Amino acid sequence: MFTGKAALITGAAQGLGKSFASALLKKECKVCAADNNEEKLQATVREFQDIYGENNVMYAKCDVTKEHDLEETFKRAKSAFNRIDIVVNNAGVVDERNWERCLDINLTGVIRGTLLGLKYLRKDLGGAGGTIVNVSSMAGIFPVEYSPAYCASKHGVVGYTRSWAFHPEVVKNGVRLLCLCPAYAKTDILNFQPESPEDLAQAQKSMEALGIMRVEEVSDAFIKLLEDSDNNGSVMSVTKQNTIYWKMPVPKF
Ligand SMILES: NC(=O)c1ccc[n+]([C@@H]2O[C@H](COP(=O)([O-])OP(=O)(O)OC[C@H]3O[C@@H](n4cnc5c(N)ncnc54)[C@H](O)[C@@H]3O)[C@@H](O)[C@H]2O)c1
């Protein structure tokens, strides 16, 4: 199902994005790894190229808050691989102090990546159909007292993704949209600075209660989400305890 296909992943230099890239490369999918951290991205792409071959992994320095960067990334991936089948809008930060930045990366960046994904995947626009996975969080389902802006950005990702998923023109043109909602996983994002000692205590309490996953636990769920069929519009959560699809209502008018 992945052999010979091509994926574009934002925030792929490290953490979950790197783990998603690695899981897809293992399954013989080509990967365009995009990130704004040039140094880390270069190291990651070199590491992947050594294992999977130079022609199967490409590098795209890309800031998801910049429309031009993302457009160029899609253009370059399409021209290098001659196709794009999977788009993973994964880049994200926790930043309550600069909450506009948090929304610009986590939500506006996902919107930009989704619109470009639709442009490249829709059959009526010259694509071959495919899948867009938007990375939300358990914070896209539940309230998070210590990071309300992050929580709002991730709720936004769920609503945005599901809205496009059920758009009749999108369904007709072969694009599937999915949301992945991980709980805590061991990446640099967990080193965020809460605004107060009380918020820090709350964050620690929540991490102790839920546990912290290895990135591979999340990328296993990511692959399952892609492999499962008939799941357009799904929201999948992954925690240390389980991986489940959320039964979210779709109104019928
Ligand atoms: N790790 C967790 O506990 C957890 C839980 C739920 C959801 N998530 C989500 O998973 C995604 C990946 O996070 P992670 O845990 O791997 O964190 P991470 O900090 O390890 O990785 C985030 C990546 O995004 C990149 N990035 C940040 N701003 C960017 C921008 N403007 N343009 C392009 N790239 C940018 C960073 O350089 C980094 O490589 C995020 O959307 C995050 O919200 C993570």
Side-chain angles (χ1 to χ4, degrees), residues 42-182:
Q42 268 169 0
T44 295
V45 169
R46 231 177 283 126
E47 181 187 323
F48 285 150
Q49 284 177 333
D50 286 347
I51 308 170
Y52 300 103
E54 243 176 63
N55 297 334
N56 294 322
V57 198
M58 67 171 277
Y59 163 103
K61 157 105 174 63
C62 167
D63 180 340
V64 298
T65 67
K66 301 201 171 108
E67 177 78 27
H68 175 76
D69 275 19
L70 260 181
E71 260 176 21
E72 281 303 305
T73 300
F74 273 80
K75 230 184 261 169
R76 287 187 49 227
K78 173 80 191 236
S79 109
F81 298 141
N82 208 21
R83 60 188 300 149
I84 300 176
D85 305 280
I86 299 166
V87 173
V88 187
N89 292 303
N90 162 75
V93 294
V94 179
D95 191 347
E96 293 300 315
R97 285 183 184 80
N98 189 349
W99 56 265
E100 287 104 330
R101 170 175 175 262
C102 182
L103 282 155
D104 202 12
I105 296 170
N106 296 7
L107 180 57
T108 314
V110 167
I111 292 177
R112 279 192 195 96
T114 303
L115 290 174
L116 281 162
L118 290 170
K119 180 172 156 190
Y120 277 79
L121 299 184
R122 276 175 66 146
K123 289 181 181 164
D124 59 337
L125 301 178
T131 305
I132 299 174
V133 179
N134 288 336
V135 179
S136 176
S137 164
M138 287 298 272
I141 300 172
F142 294 114
V144 184
E145 309 87 307
Y146 61 83
S147 62
Y150 179 77
C151 187
S153 73
K154 295 300 185 180
H155 271 68
V157 170
V158 172
Y160 188 78
T161 308
R162 294 182 75 238
S163 298
W164 272 123
F166 299 113
H167 192 296
E169 290 303 306
V170 168
V171 173
K172 206 163 79 190
N173 284 293
V175 184
R176 178 174 65 142
L177 288 103
L178 305 165
C179 237
L180 185 65
C181 293

